[in-house]
mmCIF file of all heavy atoms in Angstrom:
data_model
loop_
_atom_site.group_PDB
_atom_site.id
_atom_site.type_symbol
_atom_site.label_atom_id
_atom_site.label_comp_id
_atom_site.label_asym_id
_atom_site.label_seq_id
_atom_site.Cartn_x
_atom_site.Cartn_y
_atom_site.Cartn_z
ATOM 1 N N TYR A 1 92.510 91.288 92.737
ATOM 2 C CA TYR A 1 92.086 91.154 94.128
ATOM 3 C C TYR A 1 91.456 89.774 94.340
ATOM 4 O O TYR A 1 91.708 89.094 95.364
ATOM 5 C CB TYR A 1 91.097 92.240 94.517
ATOM 6 C CG TYR A 1 90.615 92.186 95.948
ATOM 7 C CD1 TYR A 1 91.273 92.761 96.972
ATOM 8 C CD2 TYR A 1 89.429 91.450 96.205
ATOM 9 C CE1 TYR A 1 90.829 92.626 98.305
ATOM 10 C CE2 TYR A 1 88.966 91.338 97.519
ATOM 11 C CZ TYR A 1 89.689 91.947 98.546
ATOM 12 O OH TYR A 1 89.218 91.842 99.825
ATOM 13 N N ALA A 2 90.623 89.383 93.383
ATOM 14 C CA ALA A 2 89.937 88.089 93.492
ATOM 15 C C ALA A 2 90.948 86.903 93.460
ATOM 16 O O ALA A 2 90.775 85.945 94.188
ATOM 17 C CB ALA A 2 88.916 87.908 92.399
ATOM 18 N N ILE A 3 91.949 87.019 92.632
ATOM 19 C CA ILE A 3 92.951 85.967 92.569
ATOM 20 C C ILE A 3 93.768 85.844 93.865
ATOM 21 O O ILE A 3 94.043 84.770 94.359
ATOM 22 C CB ILE A 3 93.913 86.231 91.372
ATOM 23 C CG1 ILE A 3 93.155 86.067 90.051
ATOM 24 C CG2 ILE A 3 95.108 85.241 91.447
ATOM 25 C CD1 ILE A 3 93.965 86.478 88.838
ATOM 26 N N VAL A 4 94.135 86.976 94.387
ATOM 27 C CA VAL A 4 95.005 86.991 95.617
ATOM 28 C C VAL A 4 94.190 86.752 96.858
ATOM 29 O O VAL A 4 94.595 85.976 97.779
ATOM 30 C CB VAL A 4 95.767 88.331 95.686
ATOM 31 C CG1 VAL A 4 96.584 88.381 96.970
ATOM 32 C CG2 VAL A 4 96.688 88.522 94.461
ATOM 33 N N HIS A 5 93.056 87.411 97.004
ATOM 34 C CA HIS A 5 92.336 87.404 98.265
ATOM 35 C C HIS A 5 91.002 86.655 98.228
ATOM 36 O O HIS A 5 90.326 86.454 99.249
ATOM 37 C CB HIS A 5 92.074 88.838 98.780
ATOM 38 C CG HIS A 5 93.305 89.617 98.913
ATOM 39 N ND1 HIS A 5 94.197 89.471 99.976
ATOM 40 C CD2 HIS A 5 93.794 90.611 98.139
ATOM 41 C CE1 HIS A 5 95.216 90.338 99.842
ATOM 42 N NE2 HIS A 5 95.004 91.054 98.716
ATOM 43 N N GLY A 6 90.597 86.220 96.998
ATOM 44 C CA GLY A 6 89.301 85.600 96.885
ATOM 45 C C GLY A 6 88.225 86.582 97.191
ATOM 46 O O GLY A 6 88.261 87.784 96.784
ATOM 47 N N PHE A 7 87.219 86.163 97.939
ATOM 48 C CA PHE A 7 86.068 87.054 98.268
ATOM 49 C C PHE A 7 86.083 87.401 99.714
ATOM 50 O O PHE A 7 85.125 87.820 100.300
ATOM 51 C CB PHE A 7 84.771 86.365 97.940
ATOM 52 C CG PHE A 7 84.575 86.112 96.458
ATOM 53 C CD1 PHE A 7 84.862 84.892 95.937
ATOM 54 C CD2 PHE A 7 84.172 87.154 95.605
ATOM 55 C CE1 PHE A 7 84.705 84.671 94.550
ATOM 56 C CE2 PHE A 7 84.048 86.933 94.252
ATOM 57 C CZ PHE A 7 84.290 85.676 93.712
ATOM 58 N N LYS A 8 87.293 87.293 100.347
ATOM 59 C CA LYS A 8 87.446 87.692 101.723
ATOM 60 C C LYS A 8 87.547 89.154 101.862
ATOM 61 O O LYS A 8 88.202 89.858 101.096
ATOM 62 C CB LYS A 8 88.675 87.040 102.321
ATOM 63 C CG LYS A 8 88.676 85.480 102.351
ATOM 64 C CD LYS A 8 89.977 84.944 102.926
ATOM 65 C CE LYS A 8 89.942 83.407 102.927
ATOM 66 N NZ LYS A 8 91.210 82.861 103.494
ATOM 67 N N ILE A 9 86.850 89.711 102.859
ATOM 68 C CA ILE A 9 86.921 91.115 103.169
ATOM 69 C C ILE A 9 87.408 91.257 104.569
ATOM 70 O O ILE A 9 86.680 91.427 105.538
ATOM 71 C CB ILE A 9 85.527 91.765 103.003
ATOM 72 C CG1 ILE A 9 84.928 91.514 101.606
ATOM 73 C CG2 ILE A 9 85.589 93.274 103.224
ATOM 74 C CD1 ILE A 9 83.569 92.068 101.371
ATOM 75 N N ASP A 10 88.745 91.214 104.704
ATOM 76 C CA ASP A 10 89.343 91.415 105.980
ATOM 77 C C ASP A 10 90.733 92.074 105.813
ATOM 78 O O ASP A 10 91.331 92.062 104.711
ATOM 79 C CB ASP A 10 89.476 90.111 106.742
ATOM 80 C CG ASP A 10 90.292 89.076 105.947
ATOM 81 O OD1 ASP A 10 90.678 89.377 104.824
ATOM 82 O OD2 ASP A 10 90.422 87.972 106.466
ATOM 83 N N GLY A 11 91.289 92.655 106.885
ATOM 84 C CA GLY A 11 92.557 93.314 106.772
ATOM 85 C C GLY A 11 92.467 94.626 106.021
ATOM 86 O O GLY A 11 91.391 95.217 105.855
ATOM 87 N N THR A 12 93.636 95.067 105.490
ATOM 88 C CA THR A 12 93.692 96.296 104.774
ATOM 89 C C THR A 12 93.606 96.123 103.254
ATOM 90 O O THR A 12 93.482 97.120 102.536
ATOM 91 C CB THR A 12 95.104 97.005 105.050
ATOM 92 O OG1 THR A 12 96.136 96.136 104.659
ATOM 93 C CG2 THR A 12 95.228 97.279 106.578
ATOM 94 N N ALA A 13 93.519 94.876 102.740
ATOM 95 C CA ALA A 13 93.473 94.650 101.327
ATOM 96 C C ALA A 13 92.222 95.297 100.688
ATOM 97 O O ALA A 13 92.322 95.939 99.648
ATOM 98 C CB ALA A 13 93.507 93.168 101.085
ATOM 99 N N PRO A 14 90.991 95.119 101.312
ATOM 100 C CA PRO A 14 89.827 95.770 100.689
ATOM 101 C C PRO A 14 89.961 97.318 100.629
ATOM 102 O O PRO A 14 89.584 97.876 99.627
ATOM 103 C CB PRO A 14 88.722 95.323 101.653
ATOM 104 C CG PRO A 14 89.166 94.105 102.279
ATOM 105 C CD PRO A 14 90.648 94.278 102.467
ATOM 106 N N LEU A 15 90.559 97.926 101.670
ATOM 107 C CA LEU A 15 90.754 99.345 101.690
ATOM 108 C C LEU A 15 91.677 99.757 100.561
ATOM 109 O O LEU A 15 91.441 100.732 99.840
ATOM 110 C CB LEU A 15 91.287 99.796 103.059
ATOM 111 C CG LEU A 15 91.531 101.300 103.204
ATOM 112 C CD1 LEU A 15 90.211 102.065 102.975
ATOM 113 C CD2 LEU A 15 92.132 101.579 104.591
ATOM 114 N N ARG A 16 92.758 99.008 100.374
ATOM 115 C CA ARG A 16 93.712 99.374 99.338
ATOM 116 C C ARG A 16 93.028 99.238 97.959
ATOM 117 O O ARG A 16 93.282 100.003 97.067
ATOM 118 C CB ARG A 16 94.954 98.460 99.408
ATOM 119 C CG ARG A 16 95.806 98.613 100.653
ATOM 120 C CD ARG A 16 97.133 98.023 100.448
ATOM 121 N NE ARG A 16 97.084 96.619 100.124
ATOM 122 C CZ ARG A 16 97.104 95.643 100.983
ATOM 123 N NH1 ARG A 16 97.155 95.862 102.286
ATOM 124 N NH2 ARG A 16 97.045 94.363 100.550
ATOM 125 N N SER A 17 92.201 98.224 97.814
ATOM 126 C CA SER A 17 91.505 98.016 96.556
ATOM 127 C C SER A 17 90.539 99.154 96.265
ATOM 128 O O SER A 17 90.442 99.636 95.138
ATOM 129 C CB SER A 17 90.779 96.702 96.574
ATOM 130 O OG SER A 17 90.111 96.455 95.358
ATOM 131 N N VAL A 18 89.831 99.540 97.315
ATOM 132 C CA VAL A 18 88.855 100.681 97.130
ATOM 133 C C VAL A 18 89.649 101.965 96.773
ATOM 134 O O VAL A 18 89.188 102.706 95.894
ATOM 135 C CB VAL A 18 88.028 100.893 98.408
ATOM 136 C CG1 VAL A 18 87.224 102.196 98.335
ATOM 137 C CG2 VAL A 18 87.091 99.686 98.653
ATOM 138 N N MET A 19 90.742 102.155 97.422
ATOM 139 C CA MET A 19 91.576 103.383 97.149
ATOM 140 C C MET A 19 91.980 103.364 95.654
ATOM 141 O O MET A 19 91.922 104.384 94.974
ATOM 142 C CB MET A 19 92.787 103.430 98.028
ATOM 143 C CG MET A 19 92.490 103.755 99.500
ATOM 144 S SD MET A 19 93.989 103.609 100.518
ATOM 145 C CE MET A 19 95.088 104.718 99.621
ATOM 146 N N SER A 20 92.350 102.227 95.164
ATOM 147 C CA SER A 20 92.805 102.118 93.765
ATOM 148 C C SER A 20 91.660 102.406 92.855
ATOM 149 O O SER A 20 91.817 103.152 91.828
ATOM 150 C CB SER A 20 93.342 100.693 93.479
ATOM 151 O OG SER A 20 94.449 100.448 94.305
ATOM 152 N N LEU A 21 90.474 101.787 93.136
ATOM 153 C CA LEU A 21 89.281 102.024 92.257
ATOM 154 C C LEU A 21 88.859 103.498 92.246
ATOM 155 O O LEU A 21 88.518 104.050 91.225
ATOM 156 C CB LEU A 21 88.129 101.110 92.723
ATOM 157 C CG LEU A 21 88.389 99.618 92.587
ATOM 158 C CD1 LEU A 21 87.178 98.885 93.114
ATOM 159 C CD2 LEU A 21 88.686 99.254 91.138
ATOM 160 N N VAL A 22 88.931 104.163 93.442
ATOM 161 C CA VAL A 22 88.613 105.532 93.501
ATOM 162 C C VAL A 22 89.585 106.370 92.704
ATOM 163 O O VAL A 22 89.249 107.311 92.014
ATOM 164 C CB VAL A 22 88.578 106.013 95.020
ATOM 165 C CG1 VAL A 22 88.462 107.526 95.069
ATOM 166 C CG2 VAL A 22 87.412 105.353 95.740
ATOM 167 N N ALA A 23 90.862 106.019 92.833
ATOM 168 C CA ALA A 23 91.909 106.766 92.032
ATOM 169 C C ALA A 23 91.646 106.663 90.577
ATOM 170 O O ALA A 23 91.771 107.609 89.816
ATOM 171 C CB ALA A 23 93.293 106.269 92.420
ATOM 172 N N ILE A 24 91.332 105.445 90.095
ATOM 173 C CA ILE A 24 91.003 105.251 88.711
ATOM 174 C C ILE A 24 89.804 106.054 88.294
ATOM 175 O O ILE A 24 89.763 106.711 87.182
ATOM 176 C CB ILE A 24 90.788 103.781 88.412
ATOM 177 C CG1 ILE A 24 92.058 102.945 88.622
ATOM 178 C CG2 ILE A 24 90.292 103.575 86.957
ATOM 179 C CD1 ILE A 24 91.860 101.442 88.514
ATOM 180 N N GLY A 25 88.764 106.080 89.120
ATOM 181 C CA GLY A 25 87.550 106.804 88.842
ATOM 182 C C GLY A 25 87.817 108.285 88.723
ATOM 183 O O GLY A 25 87.339 108.968 87.809
ATOM 184 N N ILE A 26 88.554 108.849 89.710
ATOM 185 C CA ILE A 26 88.841 110.251 89.732
ATOM 186 C C ILE A 26 89.675 110.642 88.513
ATOM 187 O O ILE A 26 89.449 111.714 87.840
ATOM 188 C CB ILE A 26 89.595 110.633 91.022
ATOM 189 C CG1 ILE A 26 88.637 110.512 92.216
ATOM 190 C CG2 ILE A 26 90.105 112.078 90.944
ATOM 191 C CD1 ILE A 26 89.311 110.764 93.587
ATOM 192 N N THR A 27 90.679 109.852 88.173
ATOM 193 C CA THR A 27 91.490 110.136 87.016
ATOM 194 C C THR A 27 90.702 110.104 85.720
ATOM 195 O O THR A 27 90.922 110.935 84.827
ATOM 196 C CB THR A 27 92.643 109.109 86.903
ATOM 197 O OG1 THR A 27 93.426 109.109 88.121
ATOM 198 C CG2 THR A 27 93.602 109.440 85.781
ATOM 199 N N THR A 28 89.793 109.145 85.659
ATOM 200 C CA THR A 28 88.912 109.073 84.479
ATOM 201 C C THR A 28 88.024 110.311 84.344
ATOM 202 O O THR A 28 87.912 110.873 83.278
ATOM 203 C CB THR A 28 88.003 107.811 84.498
ATOM 204 O OG1 THR A 28 88.873 106.638 84.610
ATOM 205 C CG2 THR A 28 87.129 107.716 83.322
ATOM 206 N N PHE A 29 87.487 110.740 85.464
ATOM 207 C CA PHE A 29 86.597 111.892 85.474
ATOM 208 C C PHE A 29 87.368 113.148 85.023
ATOM 209 O O PHE A 29 86.866 113.946 84.230
ATOM 210 C CB PHE A 29 85.995 112.123 86.867
ATOM 211 C CG PHE A 29 85.257 113.392 87.028
ATOM 212 C CD1 PHE A 29 84.008 113.598 86.490
ATOM 213 C CD2 PHE A 29 85.872 114.481 87.699
ATOM 214 C CE1 PHE A 29 83.338 114.787 86.634
ATOM 215 C CE2 PHE A 29 85.174 115.711 87.851
ATOM 216 C CZ PHE A 29 83.913 115.852 87.330
#
């Protein structure tokens, strides 16, 4: 995310990133 979008928080990219992190967390749990 940092390589592609830098530290910008706009559009749907942050939401997609959060969804991915949540999915990883749930799978780990």
